[in-house]
């Protein structure tokens, strides 16, 4: 009896797919401006619909639901692309081409200590201190609140101080961070 329902659902979904795939792909293309990504977004949306097909087919307007899924996936893709472009632009605009007398040992120590931090703390510390971003810009880049940036940066710096030793932390951080950008901006 389960296969009859599964077969019926499969046939119904296949018909829905054939009827709406091109429309969903066109919607994705218009929302993102990326023809190549449009097919992927439409396929991802239809896969998500298939996983919830029992609920979707019971909805009053399954096609409207599908359009909403495509819109959400497109919004996520656009936001990710914008964040990535900002990160790349910030990195290249603040990167020094040449650093005189770099403290290689200090940089290695800091990089090792940074690797030991959880991702969010590491990202906050690096964006705040290596890229000299404000708390607001860091929050925007990571998609978190300014309060989260403040607490994670503070906790991350405390952990780095514990890992690197209290006396040498600011000097090592500055030397290591100088390789990728200005280490100032802590008071923003």
């Amino acid at each position: 009896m389960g296969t009859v329902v599964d077969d019926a659902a499969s046939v119904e979904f296949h018909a829905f797919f054939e009827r709406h795939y091109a429309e969903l792909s066109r919607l994705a293309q218009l929302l993102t401006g990326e023809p190549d990504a449009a097919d992927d977004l439409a396929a991802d949306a239809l896969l998500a619909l298939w996983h919830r097909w029992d609920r979707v087919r019971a909805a009053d307007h399954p096609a409207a639901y599908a359009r909403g899924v495509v819109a959400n996936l497109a919004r996520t893709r656009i936001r990710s692309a914008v964040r990535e472009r900002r990160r790349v632009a910030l990195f290249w605009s603040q990167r020094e081409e040449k650093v005189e007398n770099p403290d290689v040992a200090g940089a290695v120590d800091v990089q090792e200590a940074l690797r030991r931090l959880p991702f969010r703390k590491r990202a906050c510390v690096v964006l705040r201190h290596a890229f000299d971003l404000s708390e607001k810009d860091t929050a925007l880049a990571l998609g978190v609140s300014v309060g989260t940036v403040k607490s994670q940066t503070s906790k991350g710096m405390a952990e780095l101080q514990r890992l690197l030793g209290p006396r040498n932390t600011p000097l090592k951080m500055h030397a290591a961070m100088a390789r990728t950008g200005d280490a100032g901006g802590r008071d923003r």
Side-chain angles (χ1 to χ4, degrees):
M1 196 146 88
T3 54
V4 173
V5 173
D6 291 342
D7 288 344
S10 180
V11 168
E12 189 177 349
F13 179 78
H14 183 72
F16 182 88
F17 180 96
E18 292 296 325
R19 199 168 42 251
H20 296 286
Y21 178 78
E23 171 197 350
L24 296 174
S25 181
R26 190 171 62 250
L27 173 63
Q29 180 177 355
L30 290 171
L31 292 175
T32 64
E34 300 177 31
D36 295 337
D39 286 335
D40 292 340
L41 288 173
D44 289 347
L46 286 163
L47 179 62
L49 292 175
W50 171 246
H51 288 297
R52 296 185 292 269
W53 186 241
D54 288 339
R55 284 183 275 163
V56 173
R57 73 184 198 181
D60 291 335
H61 304 286
Y65 185 84
R67 286 186 214 105
V69 172
V70 169
N72 286 334
L73 290 172
R75 180 182 14 247
T76 300
R77 182 175 182 87
I78 290 166
R79 286 179 178 167
S80 295
V82 167
R83 281 194 301 268
E84 184 64 26
R85 286 184 193 123
R86 284 181 185 155
R87 287 183 200 123
V88 169
L90 287 169
F91 175 76
W92 288 112
S93 69
Q94 295 183 1
R95 186 168 183 233
E96 293 180 13
E97 291 300 316
K98 186 176 179 182
V99 175
E100 293 182 32
N101 302 322
D103 179 7
V104 176
V108 169
D109 289 346
V110 170
Q111 288 172 354
E112 181 59 34
L114 282 170
R115 274 190 218 103
R116 294 175 66 186
L117 294 178
F119 175 77
R120 187 171 286 172
K121 288 179 187 173
R122 179 174 56 232
C124 287
V125 168
V126 168
L127 290 172
R128 291 282 292 127
H129 296 283
F131 289 91
D132 196 28
L133 292 185
S134 68
E135 290 166 344
K136 181 181 176 186
D137 289 339
T138 300
L140 285 172
L142 297 176
V144 299
S145 70
V146 172
T148 299
V149 170
K150 288 178 181 181
S151 69
Q152 293 297 294
T153 303
S154 176
K155 290 175 184 176
M157 288 301 290
E159 183 69 14
L160 284 175
Q161 191 170 35
R162 186 185 66 74
L163 292 169
L164 295 171
R167 286 191 195 177
N168 297 326
T169 302
L171 294 176
K172 285 184 180 180
M173 283 294 294
H174 181 72
M177 299 293 186
R179 297 186 75 179
T180 58
D182 183 16
R186 291 186 188 115
D187 295 330
R188 286 188 185 188

